[in-house]
Amino acid sequence: MSFIRIIFFSLSFIVGSSVYGYCNIKPLYHIPFVKADGLMLIASELEGQEGYFVFDTGADAIVINKQVDQHDVLAFETLTGAINTSKIVVNKITLGNYVLNDIQAFAYDLSSVEKFTNKKLLGIIGTRFLEGEVLFIDNINNVIQILDRNQVKNTSGQQFITSKIWLENGVPIVPLKIDGKEYKFGLDTGSSVSVINNQLVKANSSVFSQNSAAVNVHTLDKNEVAHQQTVVIEIVQFGKMGIKNLQFGITELKAINDELDVKIDGIISLNQIPIKEIYIDFEKLQILLLP
């Protein structure tokens, strides 16, 4: 990747059928996390400096909390517009027992994000940098594990919900059904709010209930805050799981979709999905959810 295309990252204030699931024997990598404002924060080291990385499935790059070199500027899209960053090389990042060496990253001042998390942020990292066949997120024990398939065995004792996915440069995109029609949504752990394309809302106005509440959406762009009206959908179908009364901020996604091969109709925050465990199978392009 020669440039950053998109980071979904945003902050906001305001039972299924039996299928085969996974039971890990021993993970390749074990990465604990804590939660802050709906975000997953991984205790990390960056070249000897301790702090936290935001684990963001909606990011296709590594962002380091560092001032931008104005002599070497590159642009990428956020929900509130394009921002400038600069390319750097990081010698070493340690996430749990997972280590990245000599990795390309991008510098951007994350001080405006730190005030929401109340943690020292070292940066943001997406799933494409955690190499393995299966990514497991345990929302009960607050841990991420990276598994190879030969370390995973099938079990049929739990009620998993399964769904196909698409991958856009490592960013998982999932199908959601609204009023019986299928739409594509980016699945984002780096967001505390779900958003939906305003064109979809206009075309299906009878499906959405207008909400008097609005949300202020903060992205990496420290100079821009999006004030978004919200709608509520009575039920959204994710595989065989129905999510009731899901709230979305209404936004414009044209600039983001211009950078994507797989176009999206919105972004759904993992924080708003009532699940205990999630498995993302990168080889089979499948996601499994345990409510």
Side-chain angles (χ1 to χ4, degrees), residues 98-114:
Y98 190 82
V99 179
L100 292 164
N101 291 299
D102 300 322
I103 188 80
Q104 179 180 282
F106 297 84
Y108 191 76
D109 180 5
L110 299 178
S111 58
S112 62
V113 179
E114 284 183 311

Side-chain angles (χ1 to χ4, degrees), residues 5-6 8 168 173 256-264:
R5 296 190 299 176
I6 177 175
F8 292 156
E168 176 71 22
I173 296 172
I256 285 177
N257 275 325
D258 285 346
E259 304 294 340
L260 299 176
D261 294 327
V262 179
K263 310 304 180 185
I264 61 171

Side-chain angles (χ1 to χ4, degrees), residues 127-184:
T127 54
R128 67 183 291 261
F129 301 95
L130 305 182
E131 295 181 356
E133 293 177 343
V134 178
L135 179 73
F136 169 53
I137 302 173
D138 185 339
N139 266 331
I140 302 300
N141 298 302
N142 287 357
V143 66
I144 298 164
Q145 293 180 349
I146 304 171
L147 313 170
D148 272 351
R149 185 158 284 102
N150 62 6
Q151 295 178 296
V152 176
K153 63 181 181 180
N154 287 326
T155 62
S156 56
Q158 300 190 73
Q159 300 290 313
F160 281 92
I161 292 165
T162 184
S163 174
K164 65 185 176 183
I165 61 171
W166 299 266
L167 288 176
E168 176 71 22
N169 206 20
V171 176
I173 296 172
V174 298
L176 299 182
K177 282 190 175 180
I178 300 172
D179 196 33
K181 298 178 182 178
E182 185 177 285
Y183 301 96
K184 294 182 176 71

